[in-house]
Amino acid sequence: MEKIKVKICCGTSCFVMGASQIQILEIDPPADIKDKIEIEESRCMEHCHTNVSKYNRGPFVEVNGEVIEEANFEKVVNKIREILNKD
Ligand code: FES
């Protein structure tokens, strides 16, 4: 099975809004998703500039290309589990 691609934005804006908390996924992922994800970090995915919202809704994470706004550890893990449960 192909791994789920998780792209965490670690640009300044996302970082100050909490991306570091999401980076824990790289060090200590929950056991059930550990071997099923591939993590990549990005400097700035441009969502902080191009987002239609008036406010920056970072930190941003992409899971298999789907953008998660105001991401946090729990939201990202839930999205990964949702995808795993579909397959
Ligand atoms: S800093 Fe994260 S999208 Fe720009």
Side-chain angles (χ1 to χ4, degrees), residues 58-75:
F60 294 96
V61 173
E62 288 179 7
V63 179
N64 276 357
E66 187 179 327
V67 180
I68 299 176
E69 300 178 339
E70 296 177 334
N72 58 37
F73 186 85
E74 201 180 355
K75 262 187 173 179

Side-chain angles (χ1 to χ4, degrees), residues 6 20-21 23 37-38 44 55 63 68 73 78 83:
V6 181
S20 61
Q21 184 226 44
Q23 287 176 293
I37 55 173
E38 187 180 302
C44 175
Y55 304 103
V63 179
I68 299 176
F73 186 85
N78 284 343
I83 293 169

